[in-house]
Amino acid sequence: MDAPATPSLSITVNGEARRFPAPLTVAGLIDALGLPAGKVAVERNLEIVPRSAHASTALADGDRVEIVHFIGGGEASPAEEDAWEVAGRRFRSRLLVGTGRYRSLEETAAAIAASGAEIVTVAVRRVNLSDPSAPMLQDYVPPDRYTYLPNTAGCHTAEEAVRTLRLAREAGGWDLVKLEVLGPPPHLYPDMAETLRAAEVLIRDGFKVMVYCADDPVAAKRLEEMGCVAIMPLGAPIGSGLGIQNRVTIRLIVEQAKVPVLVDAGVGTASDAAIAMELGCDAVLLNSAIAHAKDPIRMARAMKAAVEAGRLAYLAGRMPRKLYADPSSPLSGLI
């Protein structure tokens, strides 16, 4: 003969239907759920059950019970991370810095650390055969801590740029690269015809190309459509420190782009970096503004703060510009 079935109750707890052995009190339910009796409040069928009545309040089949407790104010959610991505790689810092023009490798390392940068640009140069044991950049700015971004600084033809980056890939295995092909001195403006030729070859070779270019929305769009992973219009000529000279075209490039846009070249001080970010750029790349400052370490900190402030201002949305005054204090009730 089969043993009689153990009676049970169907109770909906916090919206979830569960079965419990009968009979059952509120105190028994709290115990069965493994909750601390003194730290929860209970509602049964929309009526609060006082804590003093937990042991004497019997539950019935079909009861709906809500059990709550205190948490930190607001909705619990992961902290928002304002990161950006390029070529499938995710970064928190929106400041990229170069590694040249410093007084020493020690100063290079200290300035980069102060900037908070995660990506550093590196040039490709011949090794010093006269002193093969001389310190190298990797000894001070380790590639296992920073993402190296090989660039084609000093290249004036597509052939030179392609050759340089192929050597860079052989040296370190890097496929994320910065392409720049420059016109002649004294302006060193981007040579867009040579840049386009080099980009075509590099993309075909499997490189992920972040490309330095003129602040020209038409050229920028063409480079994106070719397959460049980031567009890097100049703010002003390289090393000039003149700041963002044409905000309108930078903004046009940002608005049409489906890949990251970074202002590259021309930044002279922290306010220039903030302006670039307020225009909606994803990041800023600079070198001379830090390396040529009287105090590079302090300027690196300033640039870090400026990029963060500019990004926050862009996300916040600035107030509209007006051609007339609008007092912030109410005029009613004046004495």
Side-chain angles (χ1 to χ4, degrees):
M1 184 175 180
D2 294 336
T6 302
S8 64
L9 301 174
S10 175
I11 307 291
T12 300
V13 183
N14 289 359
E16 180 182 341
R18 296 190 178 203
R19 299 200 73 86
F20 298 92
L24 183 67
T25 63
V26 169
L29 175 64
I30 293 172
D31 184 64
L33 294 171
L35 299 173
K39 297 180 181 179
V40 299
V42 178
E43 180 188 77
R44 172 177 173 261
N45 300 332
L46 303 180
E47 291 187 4
I48 295 174
V49 180
R51 190 169 296 164
S52 60
H54 284 185
S56 59
T57 301
L59 295 173
D61 193 63
D63 278 351
R64 302 185 67 85
V65 176
E66 294 289 332
I67 304 176
V68 301
H69 69 134
F70 291 114
I71 64 170
E75 181 180 354
S77 61
E80 181 181 356
E81 184 184 71
D82 182 35
W84 67 290
E85 290 188 11
V86 58
R89 307 178 195 190
R90 192 172 179 85
F91 300 96
R92 296 182 302 278
S93 173
R94 293 177 181 271
L95 177 60
L96 290 70
V97 296
T99 52
R101 298 182 174 272
Y102 291 94
R103 289 182 285 263
S104 66
L105 287 172
E106 289 85 357
E107 184 179 74
T108 303
I112 292 171
S115 76
E118 296 171 286
I119 302 177
V120 296
T121 60
V122 292
V124 179
R125 296 292 185 269
R126 290 171 172 164
V127 298
N128 183 1
L129 296 180
S130 63
D131 186 7
S133 62
M136 293 188 176
L137 179 68
Q138 294 96 316
D139 300 324
Y140 292 85
V141 184
D144 59 347
R145 177 178 175 186
Y146 299 97
T147 295
Y148 273 27
L149 184 67
N151 67 16
T152 56
C155 293
H156 295 274
T157 68
E159 288 75 17
E160 290 174 352
V162 170
R163 180 185 178 199
T164 296
L165 291 179
R166 284 174 174 167
L167 282 168
R169 182 164 62 183
E170 179 65 24
W174 298 293
D175 60 356
L176 181 64
V177 296
K178 177 196 168 185
L179 169 66
E180 59 180 76
V181 185
L182 305 179
H187 54 74
L188 297 176
Y189 208 74
D191 185 328
M192 293 311 300
E194 293 296 291
T195 297
L196 287 160
R197 283 208 307 126
E200 185 176 11
V201 175
L202 291 167
I203 293 167
R204 189 169 61 241
D205 278 3
F207 286 95
K208 298 176 176 62
V209 179
M210 301 174 68
V211 59
Y212 173 65
C213 62
D215 54 343
D216 176 356
V218 176
K221 194 61 181 177
R222 184 176 177 189
L223 288 163
E224 178 185 338
E225 291 171 346
M226 289 176 62
C228 293
V229 300
I231 307 300
M232 307 172 74
L234 81 168
I238 289 174
S240 67
L242 290 172
I244 312 299
Q245 292 298 293
N246 199 332
R247 303 183 190 187
V248 174
T249 53
I250 297 292
R251 182 63 189 170
L252 290 173
I253 292 171
V254 168
E255 288 180 352
Q256 72 178 2
K258 294 182 174 60
V259 297
V261 175
L262 299 79
V263 159
D264 180 10
V267 171
T269 190
S271 58
D272 301 331
I275 288 169
M277 297 306 297
E278 289 175 13
L279 290 171
C281 292
D282 294 276
V284 175
L285 193 158
L286 55 89
N287 184 182
S288 298
I290 294 177
H292 286 176
K294 293 180 180 179
D295 185 339
I297 312 305
R298 186 169 291 176
M299 183 60 80
R301 296 193 196 104
M303 289 298 183
K304 178 178 185 290
V307 167
E308 292 172 354
R311 176 63 178 172
L312 285 172
Y314 172 73
L315 293 175
R318 63 159 292 137
M319 65 173 288
R321 290 181 171 90
K322 299 178 181 179
L323 298 178
Y324 50 86
D326 183 12
S328 58
S329 299
L331 297 179
S332 59
L334 283 174
I335 298 174

